[in-house]
Amino acid sequence: MRFVDSEESKKEYKKFLESNERCNFQQSLEWAEVKKPNWKPEVILAENEDGNIIGSLCVWIRKMPIFGNIMYASRGPVCDIHDIAVMKQITDGAKELAKKYNAIVLRIEPDVLKSDKTFRDIVTNLGYKIKDDAKDFKDEIQPRFVMQLNIKNKTEEEILAGFKQKWRYNVRLAQKKGVVIKEGKREDLKDFHKIMLTTGERDNFITRPLSYFEKMYDCLGPDHMKLLMAYYEDKPISGVIPIFYGNKTWYLYGASSNEHRNLMPNYLLQWEMIKMAIARHDDIYDFRGVVGNVEKTHPQYGLYRFKQGFGADLIEWIGEIYMPFKPITYKLYRFSEKAFRTIRQIKRKHNTARHHCYAYRIIRKNEIINKSSDDGEPSGTAGMPMLNILEKNNFINILVVVTRYFGGILLGTGGLVKAYSEATQKVIEKSEIVIEEEGIEL
């Protein structure tokens, strides 16, 4: 076992990654560059007796305030996942990195099928725990459910024949109505980002800044990333970003305007990306994430239906395997992570509300850490009164969020303190205490 620690070993690793059937762009050094400086990459290499690479894991390290360093690997390891000796080399390397960075945990989200019992047995024997119950995007970092189209050794005609009839019709409709697909350059990311902002507002999700997409282009383009834009009467109406690496193509980002949606530009964009993947002789075209709940009543059912109509299969990955090096600290970190995710979800759900005030308390190494936010209310009228109620009830490892819609009635300072305090007390009275392992109350 060794690490990537020189320009020569970087080239060696890139060659191994691109030629391996388990290749994933998120294990690449190019993608690691996109994630800098928030994350620091380290690459573990398993090797045979001749010193040749037979396995790898690109791990990102990040300092989390209060808790310390975490280690995260997206879609690794890249190796024969049923070879316990190779898996042990990679795990030993991860443990060495954990000591170097004093990490609290290693988290990995492998692209390994949930049904792979051999892999489950191997990682369990090596000391990993498995979390395989995520159903929605909010419960994971990388999607556990994805849609993949097998294009290995297939022609365009064969793939198109696998589309649902309506999907083939929509592709041809876009062409007939004059939708034109062009490959964009770096400067065209501005148009793409404008459309992405519109998409985020319409579909209620947080969008990345333009600088993020520009950094992606600088790190991955032109070999591993393209920008495709759909135009109607010379006006950009939709765009997509595919990623190419090894034997796969991924549909990473898509954006569509509110205008001319009846021209079906998104169907034509998908077909153009699939044709590019076929021309590259890829094995897989990956539509990426969908939710695990495919009931027609689910809010994300439309996304699943759109991707499934191209003939893609629903794939269920194992989820997250993790190795806590400091179990108590990691549990508290997970609580904090869940708390902030909850706050984001509440803000998205109640996006017309004026204020989302919160307070939470966690304990670490016998020290209670308090945090609160007035979120635009007059200082000290919301977060602190909520925190005082939590302290009064002697609760720790707890988050409370109070959302306020302004109804035109001015409460005044005293009225706000009273309202937020009473709301917090009512929540506490209706909640239950859950005792987790190792005595942590949540």
Side-chain angles (χ1 to χ4, degrees):
M1 185 277 299
R2 56 190 169 96
F3 300 97
V4 168
D5 57 4
S6 65
E7 290 302 316
E8 185 62 32
S9 60
K10 286 180 181 179
K11 294 177 182 178
E12 187 183 5
Y13 170 59
K14 179 177 171 64
K15 182 178 179 181
F16 165 78
L17 179 62
E18 290 189 307
S19 63
N20 194 284
E21 65 177 3
R22 287 190 45 76
C23 170
N24 194 292
F25 78 95
Q26 292 180 87
Q27 282 288 291
S28 71
L29 292 173
E30 292 91 341
W31 189 245
E33 285 296 318
V34 175
K35 296 301 179 181
K36 289 180 180 178
N38 292 332
W39 296 90
K40 177 183 179 180
E42 291 270 13
V43 180
I44 306 163
L45 301 176
E47 53 187 350
N48 60 18
E49 294 178 353
D50 298 323
N52 297 318
I53 301 173
I54 55 174
S56 65
L57 182 69
C58 182
V59 178
W60 305 340
I61 297 96
R62 182 171 184 172
K63 176 69 177 295
M64 295 298 177
I66 300 173
F67 302 100
N69 289 321
I70 67 167
M71 296 165 51
Y72 172 68
S74 179
R75 297 312 191 217
V78 179
C79 65
D80 179 354
I81 57 173
H82 295 154
D83 188 328
I84 191 169
V86 176
M87 290 293 294
K88 186 177 185 306
Q89 279 196 61
I90 291 172
T91 303
D92 288 344
K95 290 179 179 178
E96 190 171 322
L97 288 177
K99 290 181 180 178
K100 176 181 177 180
Y101 291 99
N102 195 26
I104 65 172
V105 68
L106 167 65
R107 301 172 68 179
I108 307 174
E109 291 182 305
D111 46 357
V112 176
L113 292 174
K114 182 180 180 179
S115 58
D116 193 331
K117 186 177 184 303
T118 301
F119 179 78
R120 298 176 77 97
D121 290 342
I122 287 174
V123 295
T124 300
N125 289 334
L126 288 172
Y128 294 91
K129 300 178 185 297
I130 301 174
K131 183 180 182 299
D132 60 357
D133 57 351
K135 289 290 185 183
D136 290 309
F137 295 136
K138 65 181 176 62
D139 300 322
E140 57 212 353
I141 302 173
Q142 297 300 320
R144 193 164 74 85
F145 295 86
V146 300
M147 301 296 294
Q148 289 190 341
L149 181 63
N150 185 345
I151 60 174
K152 187 174 183 179
N153 298 325
K154 293 182 180 179
T155 65
E156 290 183 8
E157 292 74 18
E158 289 171 328
I159 295 298
L160 189 61
F163 289 9
K164 287 185 176 180
Q165 189 276 332
K166 184 65 174 178
W167 272 242
R168 290 195 300 270
Y169 173 82
N170 286 341
V171 169
R172 290 165 181 150
L173 175 68
Q175 294 170 326
K176 182 179 178 181
K177 293 294 184 180
V179 176
V180 177
I181 308 300
K182 297 180 183 179
E183 182 176 333
K185 298 180 180 179
R186 191 180 190 274
E187 55 265 30
D188 296 310
L189 286 168
K190 294 178 181 178
D191 287 335
F192 173 80
H193 188 253
K194 288 179 183 177
I195 300 174
M196 177 64 81
L197 292 176
T198 299
T199 308
E201 184 177 349
R202 181 183 66 235
D203 297 339
N204 195 26
F205 64 81
I206 297 172
T207 55
R208 299 227 184 232
L210 173 61
S211 59
Y212 181 83
F213 296 103
E214 291 174 335
K215 187 176 183 181
M216 277 181 55
Y217 195 90
D218 293 339
C219 294
L220 291 160
D223 294 337
H224 299 296
M225 170 185 162
K226 303 288 185 187
L227 171 64
L228 299 182
M229 298 293 293
Y231 293 85
Y232 179 66
E233 297 180 346
D234 295 325
K235 180 181 179 180
I237 57 174
S238 289
V240 290
I241 293 178
I243 300 293
F244 313 96
Y245 217 99
N247 61 342
K248 303 177 187 72
T249 292
W250 291 264
Y251 163 43
L252 191 59
Y253 286 103
S256 60
S257 69
N258 293 329
E259 300 175 352
H260 306 299
R261 301 184 74 187
N262 61 313
L263 301 180
M264 305 300 170
N266 299 332
Y267 290 83
L268 185 56
L269 281 167
Q270 287 296 330
W271 177 228
E272 291 299 322
M273 287 190 291
I274 291 170
K275 288 196 295 182
M276 294 174 79
I278 294 172
R280 280 171 35 87
H281 304 290
D282 283 341
D283 295 339
I284 296 292
Y285 177 80
D286 195 323
F287 287 88
R288 295 206 9 112
V290 293
V291 294
N293 183 346
V294 295
E295 296 294 329
K296 292 184 179 181
T297 55
H298 194 281
Q300 293 290 334
Y301 175 76
L303 180 65
Y304 162 78
R305 182 174 177 271
F306 173 72
K307 296 179 178 181
Q308 191 263 347
F310 291 96
D313 297 316
L314 179 63
I315 307 296
E316 182 178 5
W317 298 135
I318 190 171
E320 179 183 307
I321 66 171
Y322 65 100
M323 184 175 290
F325 304 111
K326 299 179 180 180
I328 299 293
T329 303
Y330 177 58
K331 280 183 176 289
L332 292 171
Y333 165 74
R334 287 303 298 264
F335 168 77
S336 176
E337 182 182 54
K338 184 177 180 180
F340 279 101
R341 187 181 295 132
T342 299
I343 293 169
R344 288 199 302 269
Q345 290 165 6
I346 290 172
K347 287 184 176 181
R348 291 178 192 175
K349 183 177 180 180
H350 302 279
N351 55 12
T352 59
R354 293 282 293 273
H355 307 284
H356 303 279
C357 306
Y358 66 84
Y360 72 82
R361 306 182 77 213
I362 58 174
I363 187 168
R364 177 176 179 268
K365 295 181 179 179
N366 298 320
E367 175 190 5
I368 297 177
I369 299 168
N370 299 318
K371 180 78 173 178
S372 64
S373 170
D374 294 315
D375 193 33
E377 294 280 29
S379 178
T381 62
M384 187 55 68
M386 294 166 65
L387 188 59
N388 290 338
I389 296 297
L390 299 184
E391 292 177 332
K392 178 182 176 181
N393 286 270
N394 199 28
F395 277 7
I396 57 172
N397 301 328
I398 184 172
L399 164 73
V400 176
V401 182
V402 176
T403 296
R404 182 188 179 209
Y405 287 83
F406 182 66
I409 299 176
L410 297 176
L411 297 178
T413 300
L416 286 171
V417 171
K418 183 174 184 254
Y420 280 102
S421 299
E422 289 180 349
T424 304
Q425 185 62 45
K426 287 180 180 179
V427 168
I428 288 175
E429 291 170 358
K430 292 182 177 293
S431 56
E432 298 178 357
I433 296 178
V434 178
I435 309 297
E436 285 203 344
E437 293 178 10
E438 291 146 1
I440 299 178
E441 293 186 0
L442 298 178

